[in-house]
Amino acid sequence: MTWIIWLGLALVAIAAVVFGLAAYGAARWAESTKRLVLRLEGARLPATTSRYDAHELDSLPVPVKRYFRAVLKDGQSIVSAVTVEHTGTFNLKQPGEQWKPFTSRQRVVTRRPGFVWNARIAMVPGLSVYVHDAYVGGEGILNPSILGLFSLADPVEVGVLAQGEFVRFFAETAWYPTALLPSQGVRWEAVDDRSAKATLADGKLSVMMLVNFNEADLIESVSVEARAAIVGKAVVMMPWEGRMSNYQMRDGMLIPLTCEAAWLRPEGRAPYWRGTISSLTYEFHKS
């Protein structure tokens, strides 16, 4: 029976080490998240305007006018920042499927455009991967880490990563739709009765995305022709799409609470992120 006792003691010791590493990693990760958010807040720029004026719509394409009339009321306060919490699943295997549950908290600032997404993906009981996905001061950041201690990130060219993260910021503006207004720097170009192109610049970076509207005049999907995707050890530029649904009213704005992100691979559409907003808190520019 002695070997059973020693085995039990060894398992207890291993569990204690893992628990200690997890606690240390979580604390270290929380501190690095705090530093990222402080950088994000430090890059803020003054407001261009404090309220939405419906006269902004006069020169916009028809489907874009219909969208703003559906989601905003004249005089709506301009969103300056937002804190979003999500629950959902993330596909860790591409190509293929290996969906794992995640929870996340995201801080967004609309001027200067930026966000910090802090996620925790449950791999197996007791083992989590933490993820920072961010666009801060014109810099893209992607850092997945086991237990918050052991980085899984492969190097990505700085400009390519920044462009990819800026795409994410722009694609998610349906959550804070005042950021899509011309007064906030967005240029709109007509395509047809159900779609338009939107362009946003931040310094030397510029992103153009195709926006498709549904029969209720709400954003149904956004897409870009090329965004950096990590395939194995390589970085490949690939078409990307985000889909929005489950629109509900929040602080006077109609926004989508459920979203899906997907790569548009040659062999077909490949979703990798499915999430629902569980909590959302806005901050508005003061008059």
Side-chain angles (χ1 to χ4, degrees):
M1 296 293 291
T2 302
W3 70 271
I4 296 178
I5 295 174
W6 282 108
L7 177 61
L9 290 173
L11 292 174
V12 169
I14 291 170
V17 169
V18 172
F19 179 81
L21 283 173
Y24 173 67
R28 183 178 173 184
W29 191 261
E31 183 60 31
S32 65
T33 303
K34 181 180 178 180
R35 289 196 300 269
L36 268 180
V37 172
L38 285 174
R39 283 180 55 197
L40 177 70
E41 299 290 344
R44 282 204 191 202
L45 294 174
T48 56
T49 184
S50 61
R51 292 189 179 275
Y52 156 59
D53 184 338
H55 290 298
E56 282 194 61
L57 310 186
D58 290 348
S59 61
L60 294 182
V62 171
V64 182
K65 288 182 182 180
R66 293 196 301 250
Y67 165 71
F68 283 122
R69 288 168 181 160
V71 302
L72 298 176
K73 293 181 180 179
D74 195 13
Q76 168 69 44
S77 296
I78 300 295
V79 176
S80 60
V82 58
T83 299
V84 190
E85 295 183 355
H86 312 87
T87 60
T89 54
F90 192 92
N91 186 13
L92 297 173
K93 185 180 181 181
Q94 293 250 0
E97 295 197 21
Q98 187 182 358
W99 292 90
K100 297 292 183 180
F102 77 84
T103 57
S104 64
R105 182 181 178 89
Q106 181 169 332
R107 179 64 173 171
V108 180
V109 171
T110 57
R111 280 182 51 82
R112 177 179 188 181
F115 70 91
V116 174
W117 186 63
N118 177 34
R120 181 176 179 178
I121 303 173
M123 303 296 289
V124 295
L127 180 63
S128 296
V129 170
Y130 294 84
V131 182
H132 281 152
D133 197 40
Y135 181 72
V136 179
E139 176 189 354
I141 297 160
L142 176 59
N143 182 27
S145 176
I146 296 177
L147 296 175
L149 293 172
F150 310 105
S151 178
L152 300 172
D154 291 317
V156 179
E157 196 273 319
V158 171
V160 170
L161 183 56
Q163 188 268 351
E165 300 299 354
F166 190 34
V167 166
R168 172 170 176 172
F169 170 87
F170 199 18
E172 293 176 348
T173 45
W175 294 341
Y176 32 98
T178 59
L180 284 166
L181 289 165
S183 63
Q184 305 307 300
V186 179
R187 293 185 289 108
W188 289 93
E189 178 184 350
V191 175
D192 56 36
D193 192 54
R194 288 293 175 195
S195 63
K197 292 179 180 178
T199 302
L200 180 65
D202 179 38
K204 296 180 179 179
L205 276 180
S206 180
V207 169
M208 182 179 70
M209 66 181 182
L210 178 66
V211 182
N212 293 297
F213 304 93
N214 62 20
E215 292 183 356
D217 300 321
L218 304 175
I219 294 177
E220 184 173 60
S221 68
V222 297
S223 60
V224 295
E225 293 182 355
R227 186 184 179 196
I230 299 175
V231 180
K233 295 292 184 179
V235 177
V236 179
M237 300 304 290
M238 193 179 301
W240 177 92
E241 178 188 65
R243 291 183 179 177
M244 290 84 173
S245 59
N246 187 22
Y247 275 80
Q248 296 185 30
M249 192 67 71
R250 294 290 186 273
D251 286 272
M253 299 174 290
L254 196 56
I255 66 163
L257 298 187
T258 301
C259 299
E260 180 184 81
W263 297 108
L264 305 182
R265 297 177 175 273
E267 61 271 24
R269 189 173 181 276
Y272 66 89
W273 189 96
R274 292 171 176 151
T276 297
I277 292 175
S278 55
S279 172
L280 184 145
T281 305
Y282 289 111
E283 295 173 21
F284 299 99
H285 285 303
K286 297 179 181 179
S287 301

